[in-house]
Amino acid sequence: IIHLQDYKIQDGKMIFTPLGEGVVDFKLIMSALKSSNIEYLVYEKDDWYDDAFEDARKSIEYLKSIM
């Protein structure tokens, strides 16, 4: 199981974002994971500033686009 989160810095504070909208290089991470036996990816967003389901949908679509 791999736990995924993304974030950006806004006004000096760390703000959690949908995957692909922050500073984490998920293309590099996913490339490294392709040769592993990882069965599950878990997306976590500690704070929900927007619609939680929409953020989850965006994150899933982003992961699909880079896999």
Side-chain angles (χ1 to χ4, degrees):
I1 297 175
I2 297 293
H3 168 252
L4 303 172
Q5 285 186 298
D6 207 354
Y7 71 96
K8 64 183 177 182
I9 302 299
Q10 184 174 315
D11 299 323
K13 297 179 183 177
M14 184 171 72
I15 305 294
F16 291 99
T17 66
L19 301 181
E21 294 185 13
V23 299
V24 177
D25 187 348
F26 286 105
K27 290 180 183 178
L28 178 64
I29 292 169
M30 298 311 292
S31 176
L33 291 177
K34 285 184 180 182
S35 63
S36 69
N37 292 323
I38 299 300
E39 293 185 41
Y40 300 99
L41 300 172
V42 177
Y43 165 58
E44 178 184 359
K45 187 170 175 218
D46 292 340
D47 297 314
W48 297 98
Y49 305 104
D50 299 312
D51 181 273
F53 292 106
E54 179 63 14
D55 285 354
R57 185 197 64 75
K58 287 178 183 179
S59 295
I60 290 167
E61 289 303 315
Y62 174 71
L63 286 175
K64 285 180 181 179
S65 77
I66 64 170
M67 294 178 81

